[in-house]
């Protein structure tokens, strides 16, 4: 069976890895991986500059989703997995020019602790009163249409909670806009809680109590309760000592070099008998099956000759762009940075910057002693125009924002970073807009009618690295199983 994989990001590479495993196990499988750029990895890209690890794209993955760490272990990188330094985890929101720590007890945008919520400077008195009254919120009937995250949060906690909590937290994850993101897709747990409990706070507390009960039960079963030992908490994020590029390099080392076609954009895919023809440059090659792991907007163009309705659905999935700016400083020349991993900037603050991470704190051992790395995010759905700015202008914007937010004593405008790097990610993050699940169901139905076609990538069932890996591997397994 000859399989074409189109798009060499993490989803396509995970698919290729699965096919390579099948091939070396003796299955009659051949594959070709087409990638339009001159490098593999898509959004995953890091490099080491003077001993400092610089992540241009993602810096880690969620530990609770096992697909990424499992792949790393299979590739022999188990010893390289690096947990986030959660002892120092603290995140701030910028309000005016001040940093306000997220209040203790906040779970998925829902306040669950009375005193920290009452005392926080993040919300006004009227929002706090509203948060208390939320306990009386009536259940919402099931079966209503999907809605935007902003609408769900506003109904429960008011506009300020949208502006200072939902919007910055979600733009940190999706580069997205809470007024567009689908509540049903992005916050399915909260939608369920609302229909069951009415109040999200009551729902969250009940879920938490259930989880604690389960944890106690399993501790008892394992006998650790008698020994008084507490199970070690897992870090929220996991990365690799050598950065996300280490995963890409390990994958490349396992793939068949003859199967990799870099700088080869696919222009169209066509049906031919019971197989497929893949067109790239002036070549047209026949395959038995195709995994399209490019962004959905590119998949939409390629698949137009096969199924116009499928092509339209794929093209209608919105994408956001983002920019990362890494600044390396001599730590001795900076004032003391606030404790924690960094801060988020609500859009209502009107700044270019969406978020900043204190990289040397989030993952230890990847920055030489005496150096501090600040990584800023810009762009997102509301600020695409920034992509056209020069590197110098973007670095200047970030330095000005950092100076105004952290103060002249902490980071003077006169202080030059030792190193600055800008990375642009154009239309890289799919946005799960209202109605996303209905759209992906329609897409799945059309794909099911086209034998040998599979889709993978961040546009469908999870934006993060683990979900992209899961979908890529699944696509490959389904095709080889169907032989
Ligand atoms: C700045 C940034 C930070 C992020 N941070 C995190 C994080 O910390 N944790 C996390 O889990 N996720 C994070 N993400 C999200 C995650 O990195 C992506 O969702 C994931 O890497 C997407 O993988 P993919 O394979 O679906 O797509 P991509 O990485 O976009 O790969 C698609 C590939 O298809 C290629 N292609 C496009 N058109 C064609 C064509 N016509 N022919 C051939 N090839 C084509 C592209 O060149 C690209 O290489 C972040 C994303 C960005 C941009």
């Amino acid at each position: 069976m000859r399989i074409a994989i189109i798009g060499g990001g993490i989803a396509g590479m995970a698919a290729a890895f699965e096919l390579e495993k099948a091939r070396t196990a003796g299955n009659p499988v051949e594959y070709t991986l087409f990638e339009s750029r001159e490098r593999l990895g898509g959004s995953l890209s890091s490099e080491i500059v003077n001993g400092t690890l610089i992540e241009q794209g993602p810096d880690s993955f969620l530990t609770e989703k096992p697909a990424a760490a499992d792949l790393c272990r299979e590739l022999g990188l188990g010893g390289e997995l690096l947990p986030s330094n959660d002892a120092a985890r603290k995140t701030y929101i910028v309000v005016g020019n001040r940093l306000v720590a997220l209040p203790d007890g906040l779970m998925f945008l829902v306040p669950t602790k009375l005193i920290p919520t009452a005392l926080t400077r993040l919300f006004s008195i009227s929002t706090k009163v509203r948060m208390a009254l939320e306990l009386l919120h009536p259940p919402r009937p099931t079966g209503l249409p999907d809605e935007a995250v902003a609408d769900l949060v506003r109904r429960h906690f008011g506009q300020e909670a949208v502006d200072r909590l939902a919007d910055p937290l979600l733009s940190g994850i999706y580069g997205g806009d809470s007024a567009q993101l689908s509540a049903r897709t992005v916050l399915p747990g909260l939608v369920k809680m609302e229909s069951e409990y009415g109040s999200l706070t009551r729902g969250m507390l009940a879920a938490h109590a259930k989880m604690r009960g389960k944890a106690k039960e399993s501790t008892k079963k394992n006998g650790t309760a008698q020994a008084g030992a507490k199970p070690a908490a897992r870090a929220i994020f996991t990365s690799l000592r050598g950065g996300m590029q280490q995963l890409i390099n390990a994958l490349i080392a396992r793939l068949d070099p003859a199967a990799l076609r870099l700088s080869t954009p696919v222009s169209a895919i066509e049906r031919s008998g019971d197989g497929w023809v893949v067109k790239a440059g002036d070549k047209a090659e026949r395959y038995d099956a195709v995994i399209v792991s490019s962004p959905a907007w590119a998949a939409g163009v390629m698949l137009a000759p096969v199924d116009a309705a499928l092509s339209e659905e794929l093209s209608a999935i919105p994408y956001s762009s983002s920019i990362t700016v890494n600044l390396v400083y001599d730590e001795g020349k900076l004032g003391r940075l606030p404790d924690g991993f960094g801060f988020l900037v609500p859009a209502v603050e009107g700044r270019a910057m969406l978020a900043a991470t204190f990289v040397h704190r989030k993952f230890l051992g990847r920055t030489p002693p005496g150096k501090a790395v600040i990584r800023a995010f810009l762009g997102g759905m509301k600020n695409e125009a920034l992509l056209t700015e020069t590197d110098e202008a973007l670095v200047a914007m970030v330095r000005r924002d950092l100076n105004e937010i952290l103060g002249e004593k902490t980071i003077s405008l006169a202080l030059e970073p030792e190193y600055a790097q800008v990375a642009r990610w154009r239309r890289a993050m799919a946005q799960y807009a209202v109605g996303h699940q209905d759209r992906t169901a329609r897409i799945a139905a059309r794909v099911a009618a086209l034998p040998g076609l599979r889709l993978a990538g961040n546009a469908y069932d999870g934006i993060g690295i683990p979900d992209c890996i899961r979908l890529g591997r699944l696509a490959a397994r389904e095709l080889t199983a169907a032989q």
Side-chain angles (χ1 to χ4, degrees):
M1 184 186 223
R2 296 190 74 221
I3 303 178
I5 305 168
I6 301 167
I10 190 63
M13 294 187 81
F17 174 66
E18 198 62 37
L19 295 180
E20 176 63 28
K21 273 193 359 182
R23 188 179 79 94
T24 43
N27 286 356
V29 175
E30 261 179 58
Y31 64 91
T32 309
L33 174 57
F34 293 89
E35 167 53 49
S36 54
R37 294 182 214 171
E38 70 291 348
R39 65 171 284 278
L40 291 170
S43 301
L44 276 66
S45 168
S46 39
E47 59 177 327
I48 296 172
V49 180
N50 299 328
T52 300
L53 184 88
I54 304 283
E55 290 283 14
Q56 289 146 341
D59 67 353
S60 56
F61 45 81
L62 273 179
T63 309
E64 68 163 6
K65 297 194 168 195
D70 286 351
L71 176 61
C72 290
R73 284 188 205 98
E74 265 185 82
L75 291 164
L77 296 175
E80 297 294 296
L81 291 171
L82 181 66
S84 50
N85 173 28
D86 286 1
R89 191 160 65 93
K90 189 171 181 186
T91 303
Y92 302 87
I93 304 282
V94 174
V95 180
N97 274 346
R98 293 167 76 178
L99 294 184
V100 179
L102 281 175
D104 195 20
L106 204 64
M107 294 181 184
F108 284 101
L109 312 176
V110 179
T112 62
K113 286 193 180 166
L114 184 68
I115 294 175
T117 308
L119 294 181
T120 181
R121 284 187 290 124
L122 189 56
F123 305 119
S124 62
I125 301 275
S126 58
T127 297
K128 290 176 186 175
V129 170
R130 189 153 181 180
M131 286 176 162
L133 292 174
E134 198 270 344
L135 287 162
L136 307 173
H137 205 284
R140 191 166 194 247
T142 46
L144 291 176
D146 191 11
E147 63 177 338
V149 167
D151 294 332
L152 170 73
V153 174
R154 189 181 305 109
R155 185 164 60 249
H156 286 262
F157 305 115
Q159 184 61 36
E160 204 175 56
V162 173
D163 292 340
R164 294 194 182 165
L165 210 54
D167 217 41
L169 284 172
L170 292 172
S171 75
I173 303 171
Y174 292 87
D177 176 359
S178 66
Q180 287 184 34
L181 288 171
S182 150
R184 200 181 280 171
T185 313
V186 173
L187 300 171
L190 296 194
V191 172
K192 193 162 167 269
M193 272 172 199
E194 188 185 33
S195 65
E196 216 171 301
Y197 295 91
S199 159
L200 299 179
T201 301
R202 277 196 294 125
M204 198 53 94
L205 287 170
H208 194 56
K210 232 188 244 171
M211 249 168 49
R212 272 210 313 242
K214 269 194 198 154
K216 262 194 194 155
E217 199 57 34
S218 86
T219 318
K220 255 191 208 160
K221 264 192 203 151
N222 297 333
T224 36
Q226 285 99 324
K230 249 189 172 181
R234 273 189 318 185
I236 298 216
F237 304 106
T238 302
S239 192
L240 286 159
R241 287 182 208 289
M244 300 315 297
Q245 186 67 39
Q246 204 175 359
L247 171 57
I248 300 304
N249 293 347
L251 280 166
I252 293 172
R254 289 288 282 272
L255 300 179
D256 174 10
L260 308 178
R261 304 253 182 98
L262 301 185
S263 308
T264 312
V266 169
S267 54
I269 306 169
E270 286 169 15
R271 200 84 179 106
S272 154
D274 55 1
W276 297 87
V277 169
V278 172
K279 293 188 168 171
D282 51 8
K283 274 196 181 163
E285 288 170 87
R286 203 177 179 285
Y287 290 88
D288 301 303
V290 182
I291 299 173
V292 182
S293 46
S294 66
W297 47 264
V301 174
M302 279 175 234
L303 286 162
V306 177
D307 180 338
L310 173 62
S311 160
E312 256 175 51
E313 293 282 11
L314 290 167
S315 307
I317 296 178
Y319 271 77
S320 76
S321 305
S322 60
I323 301 164
T324 56
V325 177
N326 274 284
L327 302 177
V328 181
Y329 285 99
D330 179 340
E331 208 174 9
K333 293 186 182 155
L334 289 175
R336 194 180 148 66
L337 291 172
D339 294 338
F341 284 1
F343 57 84
L344 301 166
V345 189
V348 287
E349 296 294 319
R351 293 193 177 276
M353 200 195 281
L354 295 172
T357 307
F358 306 144
V359 173
H360 53 296
R361 297 242 184 89
K362 188 170 173 186
F363 292 101
L364 300 180
R366 306 199 306 184
T367 307
K371 301 289 173 209
V373 183
I374 304 181
R375 180 166 111 124
F377 287 81
L378 300 94
M381 281 315 252
K382 294 176 185 158
N383 227 341
E384 293 271 337
L386 285 177
L387 283 173
T388 57
E389 297 284 349
T390 61
D391 285 7
E392 290 72 27
L394 292 165
V395 169
M397 274 178 216
V398 169
R399 289 178 61 199
R400 199 173 49 238
D401 276 356
L402 288 172
N403 172 265
E404 287 173 10
I405 294 167
L406 298 174
E408 177 68 19
K409 274 194 191 148
T410 306
I411 186 160
S412 159
L413 253 191
L415 179 66
E416 291 283 338
E418 290 185 350
Y419 178 75
Q421 192 191 71
V422 176
R424 290 173 183 73
W425 299 106
R426 199 177 293 275
R427 298 181 78 193
M429 294 281 267
Q431 297 295 295
Y432 295 167
V434 174
H436 180 76
Q437 290 183 3
D438 293 338
R439 186 183 302 288
T440 50
R442 292 193 298 272
I443 289 174
R446 298 208 78 89
V447 169
L450 293 163
L453 176 68
R454 292 291 183 282
L455 301 176
N458 74 10
Y460 311 105
D461 188 28
I463 193 82
I465 294 168
D467 285 314
C468 294
I469 291 173
R470 178 177 59 79
L471 288 190
R473 297 187 79 166
L474 179 69
R477 269 192 220 129
E478 283 178 354
L479 290 175
T480 48
Q483 274 192 99

Coordinates of all heavy atoms in Angstrom, one line a residue, residues 10-42:
I10 N 3.8 18.2 13.3 CA 3.9 17.1 14.3 C 2.8 16.0 13.9 O 3.1 14.8 14.1 CB 3.8 17.5 15.7 CG1 4.1 16.4 16.7 CG2 2.4 18.1 16.1 CD1 5.5 15.8 16.6
A11 N 1.7 16.4 13.4 CA 0.6 15.4 13.1 C 1.1 14.5 11.9 O 1.0 13.3 12.0 CB -0.7 16.1 12.7
G12 N 1.6 15.1 10.9 CA 2.1 14.4 9.7 C 3.3 13.5 10.1 O 3.4 12.3 9.6
M13 N 4.2 14.0 10.9 CA 5.3 13.2 11.3 C 5.0 12.1 12.2 O 5.6 11.0 12.1 CB 6.4 14.1 12.0 CG 6.9 15.2 11.1 SD 8.3 16.1 11.9 CE 9.6 14.9 11.7
A14 N 4.0 12.3 13.0 CA 3.5 11.1 13.9 C 2.9 10.1 13.0 O 3.1 8.9 13.2 CB 2.5 11.6 14.9
A15 N 2.2 10.5 12.0 CA 1.6 9.5 11.0 C 2.7 8.8 10.3 O 2.7 7.5 10.2 CB 0.7 10.2 10.0
A16 N 3.7 9.5 9.9 CA 4.8 8.9 9.2 C 5.6 7.9 10.1 O 6.0 6.8 9.7 CB 5.8 9.9 8.7
F17 N 5.7 8.2 11.4 CA 6.4 7.3 12.3 C 5.6 6.0 12.4 O 6.2 4.9 12.4 CB 6.5 8.0 13.7 CG 7.0 7.2 14.8 CD1 8.3 6.7 14.7 CD2 6.2 6.8 15.8 CE1 8.8 5.9 15.8 CE2 6.7 6.0 16.9 CZ 8.0 5.5 16.8
E18 N 4.3 6.1 12.5 CA 3.5 4.9 12.6 C 3.6 4.1 11.4 O 3.7 2.8 11.5 CB 2.0 5.4 12.8 CG 1.1 4.4 13.4 CD 1.4 4.0 14.8 OE1 1.9 4.8 15.6 OE2 1.2 2.8 15.0
L19 N 3.7 4.7 10.2 CA 3.8 3.9 9.0 C 5.2 3.3 8.9 O 5.4 2.2 8.4 CB 3.5 4.8 7.7 CG 2.1 5.4 7.6 CD1 1.9 6.2 6.4 CD2 1.1 4.2 7.6
E20 N 6.2 4.1 9.3 CA 7.5 3.5 9.3 C 7.6 2.3 10.2 O 8.3 1.3 9.9 CB 8.5 4.6 9.8 CG 10.0 4.2 9.9 CD 10.6 3.8 8.6 OE1 10.1 4.3 7.6 OE2 11.5 2.9 8.6
K21 N 6.9 2.3 11.4 CA 6.9 1.2 12.3 C 6.3 0.0 11.6 O 6.8 -1.2 11.7 CB 6.1 1.5 13.5 CG 7.0 2.2 14.6 CD 6.4 2.2 16.0 CE 5.1 1.7 16.2 NZ 4.6 1.9 17.6
A22 N 5.2 0.2 10.9 CA 4.5 -0.9 10.2 C 5.4 -1.4 9.1 O 5.5 -2.6 8.9 CB 3.2 -0.3 9.5
R23 N 6.1 -0.5 8.4 CA 7.0 -0.9 7.3 C 8.1 -1.8 7.8 O 8.4 -2.9 7.3 CB 7.6 0.3 6.6 CG 8.4 0.1 5.3 CD 8.9 1.4 4.8 NE 10.0 1.9 5.4 CZ 11.3 1.6 5.0 NH1 11.5 0.9 4.0 NH2 12.3 2.1 5.7
T24 N 8.8 -1.4 8.9 CA 9.9 -2.1 9.4 C 9.4 -3.4 10.1 O 10.2 -4.4 10.2 CB 10.8 -1.3 10.4 OG1 9.9 -0.6 11.3 CG2 11.7 -0.3 9.7
A25 N 8.1 -3.5 10.4 CA 7.6 -4.7 11.0 C 7.2 -5.7 9.9 O 6.7 -6.8 10.2 CB 6.4 -4.4 11.9
G26 N 7.5 -5.3 8.6 CA 7.2 -6.2 7.5 C 5.9 -6.0 6.8 O 5.6 -6.8 5.9
N27 N 5.1 -5.0 7.2 CA 3.9 -4.8 6.5 C 4.2 -4.2 5.1 O 5.1 -3.4 5.0 CB 3.0 -3.8 7.2 CG 2.4 -4.4 8.4 OD1 2.5 -5.6 8.7 ND2 1.7 -3.6 9.2
P28 N 3.4 -4.5 4.1 CA 3.7 -4.0 2.8 C 3.2 -2.5 2.6 O 2.3 -2.2 2.0 CB 2.9 -4.9 1.8 CG 1.8 -5.4 2.7 CD 2.3 -5.4 4.1
V29 N 3.9 -1.6 3.3 CA 3.6 -0.2 3.3 C 4.7 0.7 2.8 O 5.9 0.4 3.2 CB 3.2 0.3 4.8 CG1 2.9 1.8 4.8 CG2 2.1 -0.5 5.3
E30 N 4.4 1.6 2.0 CA 5.4 2.6 1.5 C 4.8 4.0 1.8 O 3.6 4.1 1.6 CB 5.6 2.5 0.0 CG 6.7 1.8 -0.5 CD 6.7 1.8 -2.0 OE1 6.7 2.9 -2.6 OE2 6.6 0.7 -2.6
Y31 N 5.5 4.9 2.2 CA 4.9 6.3 2.4 C 5.8 7.4 1.8 O 7.1 7.2 1.7 CB 4.6 6.5 3.9 CG 5.9 6.5 4.7 CD1 6.6 7.7 5.0 CD2 6.4 5.4 5.3 CE1 7.7 7.8 5.7 CE2 7.6 5.4 6.0 CZ 8.2 6.6 6.3 OH 9.4 6.6 7.0
T32 N 5.2 8.5 1.5 CA 6.0 9.7 1.1 C 5.4 10.8 1.9 O 4.2 11.0 2.0 CB 5.8 10.0 -0.4 OG1 6.0 8.8 -1.1 CG2 6.7 11.1 -0.8
L33 N 6.3 11.6 2.6 CA 5.8 12.8 3.3 C 6.1 14.1 2.6 O 7.3 14.3 2.3 CB 6.5 12.8 4.7 CG 6.3 14.0 5.7 CD1 4.8 14.2 5.9 CD2 7.0 13.8 7.0
F34 N 5.1 14.8 2.2 CA 5.3 16.0 1.4 C 5.2 17.2 2.4 O 4.3 17.3 3.1 CB 4.2 16.2 0.4 CG 4.2 15.2 -0.7 CD1 3.5 14.0 -0.6 CD2 4.8 15.5 -1.9 CE1 3.5 13.1 -1.6 CE2 4.8 14.5 -3.0 CZ 4.1 13.3 -2.8
E35 N 6.2 18.1 2.3 CA 6.2 19.3 3.2 C 6.6 20.5 2.3 O 7.6 20.4 1.6 CB 7.2 19.1 4.3 CG 7.5 20.3 5.1 CD 6.3 21.1 5.7 OE1 5.4 20.4 6.3 OE2 6.2 22.3 5.4
S36 N 5.8 21.5 2.4 CA 6.0 22.7 1.5 C 7.2 23.5 2.0 O 7.9 24.0 1.1 CB 4.8 23.6 1.5 OG 4.4 23.9 2.8
R37 N 7.5 23.5 3.3 CA 8.7 24.3 3.7 C 10.0 23.5 3.6 O 9.9 22.3 3.3 CB 8.6 24.7 5.2 CG 7.4 25.7 5.4 CD 7.3 26.1 6.8 NE 6.0 26.3 7.2 CZ 5.5 26.5 8.4 NH1 6.3 26.5 9.4 NH2 4.2 26.7 8.6
E38 N 11.1 24.1 3.8 CA 12.4 23.4 3.7 C 12.8 22.6 5.0 O 13.8 22.0 5.0 CB 13.5 24.4 3.3 CG 14.0 25.4 4.3 CD 12.9 26.5 4.6 OE1 11.9 26.6 3.9 OE2 13.1 27.2 5.6
R39 N 11.9 22.7 6.0 CA 12.2 21.9 7.2 C 10.9 21.2 7.7 O 9.8 21.7 7.4 CB 12.7 22.9 8.3 CG 11.7 23.9 8.8 CD 12.2 24.6 10.1 NE 12.1 23.8 11.3 CZ 11.0 23.7 12.0 NH1 9.9 24.2 11.6 NH2 11.0 22.9 13.0
L40 N 11.1 20.1 8.4 CA 10.0 19.4 9.0 C 9.7 20.0 10.4 O 10.5 20.6 11.0 CB 10.3 17.9 9.1 CG 10.4 17.2 7.8 CD1 10.9 15.8 8.0 CD2 9.0 17.1 7.1
G41 N 8.5 19.7 10.9 CA 8.2 20.1 12.3 C 7.1 21.1 12.5 O 6.5 21.2 13.5
G42 N 6.7 21.8 11.4 CA 5.7 22.7 11.4 C 5.9 23.8 12.5 O 7.0 24.3 12.6

